[in-house]
Amino acid sequence: MSSDLTDPGRAMKVLLLTVLGALFFAYYWADNFDPASLQGARVLLTGASAGVGEELAYHYARLGSHLVLTAHTEAFLQKVVGNCRKLGAPKVFYIAADMASPEVPERVVQFALDKLGGLDYLVLNHLGAAPAGTPARSTQATRWLMQVNFLSYVQLTSLALPSLTDSKGSLVVVSSLLGRVPTSFSSPYSAAKFALDSFFGSLRRELDVQDVNVAITMCILGLQDRSSAAEGIRGVTRAKAALGPKAALAVIRGGATRASGVFYPWRFHLLCLIRAWLPRPRAWFIRQELNITAAATA
């Protein structure tokens, strides 16, 4: 025992791990979030009718932001708008929109600019699973998923970027662990999320080179607790849904502090780092997260 404690190599390893651990936790515990910075902020939020998006709307309302909310179902949006007004949002508008239609993003952004006079935050949170009855890995499903979960993000960003440039605003992109770590039985959805990560990572560099003061915050979340996300992998994965209010608050803090990335839960950051060491995990490791019987019949 004494020889282990006095071994210089072992002591250096322990010291290095301790320092790395301290830096890692200091990174996540640092809190320079100022809630007052969001009072009066002009926010366009997509996917606002349920789950994390709904909780984002409520947090922004409590903080006094001006809101334009959009999602597919008007009845759900009306409920969220009413709750936002009760929570103190000074201005809140909504526009029902189906992001599967390529012409919709322009209408949504123009509506937001008309109602708010400009944008300080574009929060991209919407997602969609393939339409019912469509084979999960078919070309049709992949094309649909790419339009909703990737191309519409690109369209909304391009249209809102001039206003965000004027306001020195922020792009907040709510993505998924499946955009960093691929898993089984989710290839089209994961492809769209990987595309988001690549597009916005490249865009961040372009804006830096051009001295454009628009922040981009990529948010890597677990399964969001809404029906469209949960139903797509129900019975296939053993992963639990992320808690909406806590995940939403993490997203808002990241956007307000202009952080480059948000991971919720925080351990997802470790998983992304580990992926570099285990690019092709063995089948037994994958099975720990999957119900193989259900997945095989999906």
Side-chain angles (χ1 to χ4, degrees), residues 31-281:
D31 188 4
N32 57 349
F33 172 54
D34 179 12
S37 68
L38 289 169
Q39 187 170 0
R42 300 164 298 176
V43 181
L44 169 56
L45 168 63
T46 70
S49 64
V52 171
E54 181 179 0
E55 297 298 337
L56 283 167
Y58 295 157
H59 281 307
Y60 280 120
R62 292 186 189 98
L63 292 166
S65 300
H66 302 302
L67 299 172
V68 168
L69 309 178
T70 185
H72 184 271
T73 306
E74 184 169 6
F76 293 162
L77 272 174
Q78 290 174 338
K79 180 200 74 171
V80 176
V81 166
N83 290 337
C84 286
R85 287 174 177 153
K86 293 176 184 177
L87 291 169
K91 292 181 183 178
V92 55
F93 308 94
Y94 77 90
I95 176 172
D98 182 359
M99 293 298 173
S101 301
E103 68 276 6
V104 161
E106 183 174 4
R107 181 162 58 89
V108 169
V109 172
Q110 191 58 54
F111 177 86
L113 295 175
D114 290 343
K115 294 297 184 181
L116 302 181
L119 290 173
D120 300 301
Y121 289 88
L122 172 60
V123 184
L124 299 172
N125 169 71
H126 61 280
L127 60 79
T134 306
R137 289 183 289 277
S138 68
T139 301
Q140 180 184 356
T142 301
R143 184 179 294 112
W144 191 93
L145 283 165
M146 290 299 288
Q147 171 59 40
V148 175
N149 297 332
F150 173 61
L151 292 176
S152 66
Y153 279 56
V154 175
Q155 291 175 281
L156 290 162
T157 297
S158 176
L159 293 161
L161 196 54
S163 181
L164 293 171
T165 300
D166 290 342
S167 66
K168 297 181 175 58
S170 294
L171 271 162
V172 181
V173 184
V174 179
S175 187
S176 165
L177 183 64
L178 294 184
R180 296 286 183 89
V181 181
T183 189
S184 307
F185 308 103
S186 64
S187 47
Y189 180 82
S190 186
K193 293 301 183 182
F194 264 83
L196 281 181
D197 194 61
S198 180
F199 175 82
F200 285 102
S202 179
L203 179 60
R204 181 187 289 117
R205 293 190 178 189
E206 292 173 13
L207 296 179
D208 286 344
V209 168
Q210 297 168 349
D211 291 324
V212 176
N213 190 9
V214 174
I216 297 179
T217 300
M218 289 296 299
C219 304
I220 308 303
L221 306 186
L223 171 63
Q224 300 178 39
D225 56 345
R226 57 176 129 178
S227 58
S228 60
E231 284 297 332
I233 60 171
R234 190 178 302 280
V236 175
T237 180
R238 297 189 176 109
K240 296 181 180 179
L243 297 176
K246 293 181 180 179
L249 185 57
V251 170
I252 286 178
R253 285 174 176 268
T257 58
R258 303 172 78 86
S260 61
V262 170
F263 294 84
Y264 186 90
W266 65 266
R267 65 178 179 275
F268 281 5
H269 200 174
L270 287 176
L271 289 177
C272 293
L273 294 174
I274 290 172
R275 185 195 172 229
W277 303 332
L278 295 173
R280 297 185 63 187

